[in-house]
Amino acid sequence: MTSIDTKSLNLPAGPETPYDINTTDESFPIIADYIAEYGNFTLIKPVSRGNNTILINAPDAVKAILVKNHENYKKGPGFERVKMLLGNGIIVSDGAFWRRQRRLIQPAFSRKCIDGLAKKMQKANQVWLQRWTEKAEKSELLDVSSETSELSLEIILRCLFSDDMDKLIEQEGKNPFEILTYDLARDMQFVLKFRALKSLVQQLMDERRESSTRYDDFLEAFMETKDKETGEGMTDKEIIDEVMTLIIAGHETGATTLNWAWYLLSQNPAEEKKLQDEADKVISGDIPTFEEVGNMPFSRQVIEEALRLYPPVWLYSRTAIVDDKVCGYDIPAGTNIFFAPYYLHRHPDFWDEPEAFKPDRFLPEEIKKRHKFAFIPFSAGPRRCIGDYFSIVEMQIHLGTMAKKFKLEYVADEKGVELDPQVNLRSKNSIMMKLSKR
Ligand code: HEM
């Protein structure tokens, strides 16, 4: 515990029993209980963390910590395991090193670059369209959880390595990164298997340096990028850490959002119909072009509403590095802060009928009426997700493509639909759909 005299501080109320919140299914209902009992701020004593935790469920405090006073905080608990996986990639790094990496990487996420990467998203969806067409013709059930997971992995890998992926598949006899879709445990064994993949990225970099072929992908952008201040680029180790970061950060988040989006649409046929109407009206061919995606606002609203109800990153943290004061409460240095978008996104003060799927909440005039920081699926401030626009475009291309061709009907089984709150908010069991051609 910090040696501060906590009696003189204004701290929120909280339970007597110590507890360490984590991204686990055990913590998920406990957090709900804290919010129900203590409201927007809960002080939780530590079991093994050393310092108190404050659980925050108020948009004003989100703004203060993630935006206004962001310099008073670093990444918090829960990132240790991610660090083992990702080395010092930008999701886990802090301070001057993080700032430099963000500067070096940001240009690869510009609108112009996403326009280029959209071609790879379209190509992948063309393959998936064929797959789904064959399934529909054979009346096979669609495991939408696996389908979106595999698609999302294919997209991020092609955006990183382009057709070099084919070389790796041939060399290894299979897609070496497919462990991400079938090995769902994120334990030490997974860490070791995942780390072994780093040598493949090194191999690709070595081969590219010997070749004159140009690539329109993240790996090339990372190998070429130079710091404007120093003229220096990244070391190979830094590039590898950032590549691995994008694979982890970019794969499961998009996959789970699409999984939930299809499920929500299947439960709300009127909204599914609106999506189909938009796809019919806007998409001239099979797959939306980058320009057409810009004219599909409803598909974006569907994604935002899915992100509201099932934010993949449902819990994330910070640690105060200096004393701070937020919304009247003292936050002594060392305090851990947790935000739980899953609960904030259902806060009855900011959302009417919070449990209902209503994409029209994200009409521009509705967004204007709401507190900006009541919706934080991508976090906020300087550490906001770098892949937010990338992933929205990726998901719009997928939803538009499939909504134009198919209707998906949820097939209930005895397992039902259950949340599996781990690092990402997955569904516990595969969601199965009956697929019909429209
Ligand atoms: C639905 C899709 C996604 C969601 C919901 C999501 C969510 C998030 C959140 C909440 C954070 C911040 C965590 C924190 O503040 O502690 C974050 C950071 C990050 N995300 Fe995403 N993400 C998504 C897709 C992607 C994609 C597609 C990529 C890459 C292609 C990506 C790359 C990153 C990176 C590199 C960071 C760290 C940024 C930094 O700290 O500077 N994400 N994401």
Side-chain angles (χ1 to χ4, degrees):
M1 280 284 276
T2 40
S3 56
I4 300 163
D5 173 15
T6 50
K7 285 198 199 84
S8 62
L9 300 176
N10 184 26
L11 298 172
E16 267 313 305
T17 315
Y19 186 66
D20 289 339
I21 297 180
N22 271 313
T23 47
T24 58
D25 48 2
E26 185 203 86
S27 283
F28 190 76
I30 294 177
I31 292 173
D33 291 346
Y34 288 153
I35 294 171
E37 183 150 4
Y38 302 102
N40 290 349
F41 298 84
T42 309
L43 183 73
I44 308 154
K45 297 189 185 93
V47 178
S48 62
R49 272 186 191 139
N51 290 317
N52 286 333
T53 284
I54 299 182
L55 171 67
I56 301 252
N57 201 37
D60 281 339
V62 169
K63 184 179 176 188
I65 293 168
L66 292 181
V67 187
K68 227 171 118 249
N69 305 355
H70 73 90
E71 282 180 347
N72 298 346
Y73 298 87
K74 60 175 186 169
K75 289 268 171 155
F79 284 99
E80 305 82 12
R81 223 166 9 140
V82 187
K83 212 162 193 155
M84 279 197 288
L85 207 56
L86 302 178
N88 212 16
I90 60 167
I91 244 179
V92 284
S93 59
D94 273 303
F97 182 74
W98 164 78
R99 239 186 319 278
R100 169 181 176 265
Q101 293 303 98
R102 180 97 191 195
R103 260 200 325 265
L104 285 167
I105 290 169
Q106 190 78 54
F109 286 88
S110 67
R111 197 185 153 81
K112 188 163 159 269
C113 290
I114 307 284
D115 186 358
L117 295 173
K119 296 186 182 59
K120 299 178 197 295
M121 301 173 187
Q122 288 151 346
K123 203 168 157 189
N125 273 289
Q126 190 77 57
V127 175
W128 258 251
L129 178 60
Q130 184 60 30
R131 257 165 88 149
W132 287 26
T133 303
E134 282 164 23
K135 276 189 192 290
E137 282 165 358
K138 290 189 209 147
S139 303
E140 271 177 35
L141 283 188
L142 183 79
D143 176 340
V144 87
S145 312
S146 305
E147 287 292 314
T148 51
S149 176
E150 286 172 35
L151 172 68
S152 179
L153 184 63
E154 170 73 6
I155 288 175
I156 192 66
L157 291 175
R158 296 285 164 177
C159 288
L160 275 160
F161 308 132
S162 300
D163 293 343
D164 279 355
M165 260 322 288
D166 297 325
K167 234 180 349 193
L168 291 183
I169 293 167
E170 201 183 316
Q171 173 186 312
E172 303 294 310
K174 61 174 186 179
N175 179 349
F177 295 93
E178 75 185 14
I179 57 159
L180 280 153
T181 61
Y182 69 73
D183 191 343
L184 295 181
R186 293 290 181 260
D187 53 12
M188 211 43 216
Q189 248 189 335
F190 178 84
V191 170
L192 294 177
K193 278 192 244 166
F194 186 71
R195 278 201 205 154
L197 299 170
K198 291 182 176 186
S199 61
L200 298 177
V201 183
Q202 182 69 57
Q203 175 202 325
L204 291 185
M205 286 198 286
D206 295 342
E207 285 169 5
R208 284 187 180 196
R209 287 189 179 115
E210 295 298 312
S211 139
S212 55
T213 312
R214 306 292 306 176
Y215 298 85
D216 190 7
D217 59 23
F218 284 127
L219 183 60
E220 171 131 339
F222 291 179
M223 288 171 70
E224 299 285 311
T225 185
K226 297 272 180 290
D227 193 328
K228 282 202 188 92
E229 283 173 19
T230 62
E232 279 174 23
M234 287 191 246
T235 63
D236 282 6
K237 179 179 177 309
E238 287 163 2
I239 296 176
I240 290 172
D241 283 352
E242 301 306 354
V243 163
M244 299 317 250
T245 296
L246 289 206
I247 296 175
I248 289 287
H251 162 237
E252 208 175 343
T253 43
T256 51
T257 310
L258 286 175
N259 184 38
W260 290 119
W262 283 122
Y263 174 68
L264 290 163
L265 287 164
S266 75
Q267 302 303 296
N268 294 273
E271 306 298 343
E272 186 193 30
K273 171 84 173 57
K274 279 202 237 170
L275 182 70
Q276 291 167 348
D277 289 347
E278 181 179 83
D280 293 346
K281 196 175 102 205
V282 178
I283 305 171
S284 49
D286 284 343
I287 317 270
T289 63
F290 186 63
E291 289 67 35
E292 285 168 348
V293 165
N295 296 323
M296 292 165 46
F298 188 72
S299 67
R300 189 183 172 117
Q301 288 169 226
V302 166
I303 292 160
E304 288 174 320
E305 182 65 341
L307 285 168
R308 181 185 73 81
L309 283 165
Y310 300 108
V313 189
W314 65 277
L315 186 71
Y316 47 89
S317 66
R318 293 291 183 271
T319 298
I321 46 180
V322 293
D323 294 346
D324 198 5
K325 197 163 185 110
V326 167
C327 298
Y329 290 115
D330 289 301
I331 301 192
T335 305
N336 298 307
I337 303 287
F338 275 84
F339 306 101
Y342 180 88
Y343 295 105
L344 185 62
H345 292 176
R346 293 164 188 249
H347 196 311
D349 290 354
F350 303 97
W351 306 94
D352 61 307
E353 289 186 77
E355 306 297 322
F357 177 69
K358 297 205 295 191
D360 281 351
R361 298 177 201 275
F362 288 94
L363 284 167
E365 59 273 26
E366 296 299 319
I367 294 175
K368 259 190 232 142
K369 288 185 211 156
R370 209 166 34 234
H371 197 307
K372 189 171 163 203
F373 296 92
F375 182 63
I376 50 164
F378 293 110
S379 180
R383 305 281 323 227
R384 185 183 160 94
C385 176
I386 206 170
D388 53 356
Y389 181 53
F390 174 99
S391 64
I392 298 272
V393 171
E394 170 190 19
M395 292 189 271
Q396 282 184 293
I397 290 177
H398 173 70
L399 287 184
T401 301
M402 299 310 179
K404 189 168 171 186
K405 288 280 157 42
F406 305 105
K407 176 164 180 55
L408 275 68
E409 276 169 82
Y410 170 62
V411 182
D413 60 13
E414 72 281 0
K415 291 188 205 140
V417 173
E418 236 183 285
L419 290 176
D420 185 19
Q422 304 296 329
V423 175
N424 278 290
L425 190 58
R426 301 174 183 149
S427 58
K428 192 155 266 162
N429 306 302
S430 276
I431 296 182
M432 305 303 292
M433 298 277 180
K434 180 170 168 268
L435 194 61
S436 342
K437 280 206 219 171
R438 291 182 51 218

